[in-house]
Structures are given as structure tokens and as C-alpha cells.
Amino acid sequence: MRSFFVSFFLAPFAMLSSVGLADSIGEYSIDEPEEPVIWIEEWFDGCTELSASTKVTISKMTLDADCLTQALGYCTGRISDDREESCQMIFIDHLRLKGKEISSSLPAEINLRGFKLRSYENAVGRASKPSFETCDNEVPELECELLDVTLRWLDWRYAQRLLKENRE
């Protein structure tokens, strides 16, 4: 959708600048946006949506973990240094939001038994704790926060999947 927006709506501005009319609109450059353009949230949501709807034999939780790994890899090394921290902060906020969406969608009464019930309760319990104690003093605070929110999202997602599997 964003590529459509860029090509359809911003292309006329690029053409205007080539004929010297962009000065009346203001300076505009696709190469150097004023704010960092990262879009990690859209990419991550698309990736996890694919993992939710796939029919392959790979575990859907493995696919979710792969989505997380790719997003974290992008934000911690494949993006320019000046945007790395911004990408990580955006991703942390997004994972918190998605975790809240999942937790608020879980029913109060569940119909699970045995191992699935214990797994569900454990995942919800871990995700609901005030804070994971995952890092020592040597790990930078932002990386520790990334790890914490990632583990919480995985637990919320696992609990959600257990309920979905039970309905199917």
C-alpha cells in the first residue's frame, strides 16, 4: 500500500522538481526523508499474518519466531546506525501493542484440558508478569527491553494459538 502511495502521490512532486516548480511547494527528496522511514511494524504484521494462515508442515510458532528473528535482525544490524535505535523503539512499542491486543482478546473462560491447559496458563502467567528478569547489568537497557517484549509477545501468541487449535 505504501509503495502505491509513494508511486501515485509522490511521483508528481518528483516531476515538478525536474521542471523547477518544486520550489513553490518546498524542497522534497525521496532519498532523504525528514523522519526515518522504517515500516518495521507493517512488515512484521504481514509476516505474522502469513504464519497464521499458512498450511505448511512447519510449526506456526516456528514461523512466528522467524518473523521476530528477521525483524530483530533488521533493527539491530541491517539498518543504518542512525536509525537502529529508532527502529528498535518502534518495534518495542509495536510488540507491546500487539501483546495487549492479544491479551484483551483472550476469553475469561477457556475450554482446554491437560497439557494444553497447563501450557496456556504458563504462557499467560509469564506474559502477564510485571517484568522478566532476563538481563544482567552488562546488557544495554534497550536490548534488554527488546528481549523482554519479544518473549512476552511469543507467550501471548502461543496462548492465542492454543485456543485457536482447540476451536479447529
Side-chain angles (χ1 to χ4, degrees):
M1 183 62 148
R2 288 187 193 261
S3 61
F4 171 78
F5 174 80
V6 169
S7 62
F8 186 77
F9 291 102
L10 298 181
F13 291 115
M15 290 190 314
L16 287 174
S17 67
S18 67
V19 293
L21 297 176
D23 292 339
S24 63
I25 297 171
E27 291 298 316
Y28 181 81
S29 170
I30 292 176
D31 296 333
E32 297 178 26
E34 288 182 27
E35 294 181 22
V37 179
I38 298 171
W39 297 324
I40 192 69
E41 318 99 290
E42 289 88 352
W43 180 88
F44 180 74
D45 289 348
C47 185
T48 57
E49 184 60 36
L50 285 173
S51 73
S53 62
T54 188
K55 302 292 183 201
V56 298
T57 57
I58 299 171
S59 158
K60 291 181 179 188
M61 289 305 297
T62 300
L63 295 174
D64 282 344
D66 286 346
C67 292
L68 277 170
T69 301
Q70 292 298 316
L72 289 169
Y74 178 76
C75 282
T76 59
R78 289 189 218 126
I79 194 168
S80 63
D81 289 342
D82 61 326
R83 294 184 181 179
E84 190 171 294
E85 186 175 321
S86 175
C87 183
Q88 292 173 21
M89 290 171 24
I90 289 168
F91 194 49
I92 287 169
D93 289 343
H94 188 66
L95 286 175
R96 278 195 185 117
L97 173 70
K98 296 315 249 180
K100 285 178 184 175
E101 287 175 4
I102 293 171
S103 69
S104 67
S105 73
L106 298 177
E109 297 291 321
I110 56 171
N111 186 22
L112 297 173
R113 299 181 191 278
F115 178 74
K116 284 186 177 185
L117 176 61
R118 285 188 302 282
S119 296
Y120 177 87
E121 291 170 341
N122 288 337
V124 169
R126 283 189 307 268
S128 300
K129 282 185 182 177
S131 178
F132 284 132
E133 294 181 17
T134 53
C135 302
D136 57 22
N137 292 337
E138 295 180 22
V139 178
E141 186 177 338
L142 189 60
E143 287 180 32
C144 188
E145 198 171 351
L146 259 175
L147 178 59
D148 182 64
V149 75
T150 298
L151 293 173
R152 287 177 191 277
W153 181 84
L154 279 171
D155 277 327
W156 286 125
R157 185 74 163 187
Y158 181 62
Q160 181 185 45
R161 287 204 187 281
L162 285 169
L163 293 176
K164 283 184 181 179
E165 287 174 8
N166 196 50
R167 281 186 251 138
E168 293 173 353

